[in-house]
Amino acid sequence: MIHGRAVVAASAEGEALVTGESLSFWGGYDFRTGEIIDRHHPLAGVRAAGRILAVPFSKGSSTTTAVLLEAVRAGTAPAAIVTTGPDAFFALASIVADVMYGKPFPVIALDAADFASLRTGEHLPISSDGRIIQRPSSASP
């Protein structure tokens, strides 16, 4: 079990999608499909919709918030976002999604060692207090 900091408290569950590279949602995430479309990113072509996206931090500006908010509206957002520290853009997207649509998603900050222990394909239940239970899976990205 990992004890993270709930930047935005909510619960979620899903398959982990883990990257060590930051991600720009503006031009890097298709809110219509939930696919990572930045062709220079290691997860290019992979769908993050409904998954627990573990990304160290966002890259870019407040447009990350706008793209994530559109993904929540479209039903193509990640189920949760796990980072290496508090990320204001991810947190703002979740807070506004709660206000506008009643659909917040957890934003959890982990220390570097706990973040490094995450693996793509693991099943990750996340509780509203920031606890994450790692459950191995044979799934791939």
Side-chain angles (χ1 to χ4, degrees):
M1 181 177 306
I2 297 172
H3 294 278
R5 175 179 172 205
V7 179
V8 177
S11 59
E13 191 168 331
E15 180 185 344
L17 180 60
V18 182
T19 180
E21 300 289 325
S22 62
L23 177 64
S24 172
F25 277 69
W26 180 253
Y29 190 88
D30 185 341
F31 73 85
R32 292 178 288 285
T33 65
E35 182 180 327
I36 296 171
I37 57 173
D38 176 351
R39 63 186 182 152
H40 301 291
H41 195 276
L43 296 177
V46 178
R47 292 180 60 112
R51 295 171 86 175
I52 308 298
L53 180 61
V55 58
F57 50 88
S58 62
K59 177 169 65 174
S61 64
S62 58
T63 54
T64 288
T65 300
V67 173
L68 266 172
L69 190 58
E70 285 299 307
V72 168
R73 187 182 60 77
T76 61
I81 298 180
V82 178
T83 64
T84 57
D87 187 293
F89 298 130
F90 292 149
L92 182 59
S94 180
I95 292 165
V96 174
D98 187 25
V99 171
M100 291 183 70
Y101 308 122
K103 296 179 180 179
F105 55 87
V107 178
I108 307 297
L110 300 179
D111 67 32
D114 285 337
F115 186 89
S117 75
L118 300 175
R119 298 288 176 259
T120 292
E122 288 180 306
H123 183 78
L124 298 178
I126 297 176
S127 64
S128 61
D129 65 0
R131 285 180 294 132
I132 301 172
I133 299 171
Q134 292 176 284
R135 294 185 181 146
S137 173
S138 59
S140 62

